[in-house]
Amino acid sequence: MNYKVVAHTLGWVMNIEAACMVLPLICAIIYREPEAMTFGISIAICLVLGLCLTLKAPKKKDMYAKEGMVAVALSWIVISILGALPFVISGYIPNFVDALFETVSGFTTTGASILTDVEALPKSMLFWRSFTHWIGGMGVLVFIVAILPLSGGANMHLIKAESPGPSVGKLVPKVKSTAMILYGIYLGLTATEIVFLLFAGMDTFSAITLTFGTVGTGGFGVLNSSVADYSNAVQIIITVFMLLCGINFSIYYMLLLGKVRDAAKSSELWVYLGVVALSIFAISINCSGLYETVGDTVRHSAFQVASIITTTGYGTTDFDLWPSFSKTILVLLMFMGACAGSTGGGIKVSRIVILFKSILKEVKLSAHPKTTYKLTMDGHIIEHSVLRAVNVYMAAYLMIFVLSLLIISLDNFDFTTNFTAVTATINNIGPGLSKVGPTCNFSQFSSLSKLVCIADMLVGRLEIFPILVLFTPHTWRK
């Protein structure tokens, strides 16, 4: 284990987090809020710690898979702890476990909250709360890869450990250029949505914060009603951008290069769009009569389907009041999640496709055991290592899910609350059903259950293994 290069990376993470806190500091100054001092103190703490670790660069800068996973896992823990400081110092969330829950929920783009009155927070705090979504959506380590010169395969190891999906590849030969392209697309989507929301009549502050939550597929709003009180036009714009941000960003790169045919070959994309369309249709039919017009029914159905499958978590209506059939569809979408390589969470559409193909292969082999079948996806053979990784991921996912469910059940809430609470946190969605439904929050859970949910959010965002690596004794041996 190269401890020095890991510590150096953590130092840069702290420095970048300090830089990110400058924006809410400016927001506090603009709105003349006393929280400017809070962010000033938080920035100072991040910088002091960060500079201590980065002033002297390590002589041996090699970083391999083990160091990459440890650096990513520790980085997310560190940015969450330091990111909670403004909430604690300001006194708006004095309990550190609650502040950590809110911050982890922000960075992991989960959107689950312990706050009962969001509108009581000053604008600078709301800005930081939403900005954590944007930071965590693409990943702070991807940003580091774009700006820092690293060696020994460090770039690819960091991106692989932080990026969601069963496999991560380079868009261009240089990994650093790949990271810059990803952030370029990310910034483009962010700027475009802000412009659309402004044209729809939204004020600048709300347009920026809601865009952070949409593009990062997070879900923190600045109103207690989430998105319900905004105009139909705003809700439609957010619906479209949630769906766009649930698509693999490599598709956008292909489109920018004019490779429309290559982009259209993505089976994951078509499955994603097909599931969205079928879900909207089924829920619209099932919820007919709940709203005044057919248009309202379709709009609410489309918004909630987009919000749940992309694991954003915004709401325009209380879907906990929908019929059981519609709620069941939403819960299934919670597990599926968005595409690999997007800012969305969940198991990922590509994994579902691979698992479905694996089942079909086993069925065929059962009938014709002497026949050889090769699994393919988009014209490429699925390597055994990818298939093994998917199977191991699903096994680990189920084990963590069951263990989490058992622990939070000690709070003695109903099964629907417990089940969807774990589902909503490990899949980075936000709202669940019953006591954690769209009109409720996680404040009723004990500190133990909140810590379990915090762990689930981190596990879900980092795709399990980087977190598990921290608890393996072999990891820490030189």
Side-chain angles (χ1 to χ4, degrees):
M1 170 66 73
N2 189 342
Y3 292 104
K4 291 184 178 180
V5 75
V6 171
H8 189 69
T9 304
L10 291 176
W12 273 107
V13 168
M14 296 175 194
N15 291 338
I16 290 173
E17 184 165 25
C20 289
M21 286 186 184
V22 171
L23 289 181
L25 171 62
I26 294 172
C27 181
I29 294 172
I30 291 173
Y31 289 100
R32 299 180 180 180
E33 296 173 347
E35 283 69 35
M37 181 63 71
T38 295
F39 285 104
I41 295 171
S42 300
I43 289 170
I45 293 172
C46 291
L47 277 179
V48 168
L49 294 174
L51 290 175
C52 288
L53 295 175
T54 56
L55 284 176
K56 186 178 180 181
K59 294 180 180 179
K60 186 180 179 182
K61 295 183 179 180
D62 293 340
M63 180 183 287
Y64 301 101
K66 180 169 65 175
E67 286 86 357
M69 284 199 169
V70 170
V72 167
L74 290 179
S75 293
W76 279 77
I77 293 171
V78 166
I79 62 171
S80 297
I81 293 173
L82 295 177
L85 291 178
F87 295 118
V88 177
I89 294 172
S90 66
Y92 282 99
I93 310 180
N95 183 286
F96 184 75
V97 173
D98 286 348
L100 184 62
F101 183 100
E102 200 75 12
T103 310
V104 170
S105 181
F107 280 120
T108 59
T109 71
T110 303
S113 181
I114 51 83
L115 295 172
T116 55
D117 185 9
V118 172
E119 296 175 29
L121 268 65
K123 289 189 181 297
S124 56
M125 286 293 164
L126 289 174
F127 184 95
W128 174 240
R129 185 170 173 263
S130 295
F131 191 39
T132 56
H133 280 335
W134 196 86
I135 297 169
M138 183 56 64
V140 68
L141 276 301
V142 174
F143 182 72
I144 286 180
V145 165
I147 63 172
L148 288 184
L150 299 173
S151 60
N155 290 332
M156 200 62 216
H157 291 310
L158 288 175
I159 287 184
K160 281 185 175 181
E162 188 176 53
S163 300
S167 62
V168 177
K170 294 180 285 187
L171 300 180
V172 291
K174 292 185 178 180
V175 180
K176 188 170 184 176
S177 298
T178 295
M180 295 177 70
I181 290 169
L182 288 173
Y183 257 99
I185 296 170
Y186 197 50
L187 284 166
L189 286 168
T190 301
T192 304
E193 185 181 355
I194 290 174
V195 170
F196 270 91
L197 290 177
L198 290 174
F199 272 111
M202 183 174 281
D203 64 276
T204 304
F205 178 80
S206 297
I208 292 173
T209 51
L210 280 178
T211 296
F212 287 158
T214 305
V215 178
T217 59
F220 279 155
V222 294
L223 298 178
N224 293 329
S225 60
S226 187
V227 186
D229 288 342
Y230 296 109
S231 67
N232 292 352
V234 167
Q235 293 177 9
I236 291 170
I237 291 169
I238 292 175
T239 301
V240 171
F241 275 90
M242 284 191 294
L243 291 173
L244 289 175
C245 293
I247 294 173
N248 192 322
F249 275 36
S250 65
I251 298 293
Y252 296 122
Y253 181 64
M254 292 180 195
L255 293 176
L256 288 173
L257 294 179
K259 298 181 180 180
V260 179
R261 289 185 179 180
D262 290 339
K265 291 179 181 178
S266 173
S267 56
E268 181 186 37
L269 173 63
W270 291 112
V271 170
Y272 168 73
L273 295 176
V275 169
V276 167
L278 286 173
S279 299
I280 293 172
F281 176 77
I283 292 176
S284 296
I285 296 297
N286 189 233
C287 291
S288 60
L290 291 181
Y291 301 98
E292 292 182 2
T293 65
V294 174
D296 287 340
T297 303
V298 174
R299 176 169 52 82
H300 287 303
S301 300
F303 188 97
Q304 293 310 151
V305 166
S307 180
I308 295 300
I309 195 170
T310 61
T311 70
T312 304
Y314 281 142
T316 57
T317 185
D318 186 1
F319 55 78
D320 200 21
L321 301 177
W322 282 2
S324 295
F325 178 75
S326 295
K327 289 192 289 186
T328 301
I329 291 176
L330 292 182
V331 171
L332 292 175
L333 294 179
M334 289 180 185
F335 285 101
M336 173 175 278
C339 299
S342 70
T343 56
I347 293 173
K348 302 294 182 301
V349 176
S350 57
R351 282 198 181 94
I352 301 297
V353 172
I354 291 173
L355 287 170
F356 183 74
K357 286 177 176 287
S358 299
I359 292 171
L360 289 179
K361 175 185 176 181
E362 291 303 316
V363 170
K364 291 178 180 177
L365 285 174
S366 297
H368 307 283
K370 295 184 179 180
T371 307
T372 302
Y373 293 98
K374 292 183 179 180
L375 292 180
T376 61
M377 191 169 181
D378 303 336
H380 302 287
I381 295 175
I382 300 173
E383 299 292 339
H384 177 71
S385 59
V386 174
L387 183 59
R388 183 191 64 189
V390 169
N391 291 333
V392 173
Y393 172 88
M394 289 305 303
Y397 177 96
L398 289 173
M399 291 173 65
I400 294 171
F401 189 98
V402 171
L403 180 61
S404 301
L405 183 60
L406 282 172
I407 295 174
I408 72 167
S409 295
L410 293 172
D411 284 354
N412 205 31
F413 291 127
D414 61 275
F415 180 77
T416 300
T417 296
N418 296 333
F419 185 86
T420 57
V422 175
T423 303
T425 50
I426 199 171
N427 293 312
N428 303 135
I429 293 159
L433 298 174
S434 191
K435 295 184 183 297
V436 291
T439 61
C440 305
N441 55 56
F442 286 71
S443 61
Q444 301 177 68
F445 281 104
S446 65
S447 293
L448 175 61
S449 292
K450 288 173 184 173
L451 288 171
V452 170
C453 289
I454 287 170
D456 284 343
M457 287 188 278
L458 288 169
V459 162
R461 174 59 181 84
L462 297 181
E463 307 261 291
I464 298 175
F465 297 109
I467 297 295
L468 293 183
V469 164
L470 293 179
F471 299 95
T472 305
H474 178 73
T475 300
W476 306 101
R477 296 173 187 166
K478 291 186 178 181

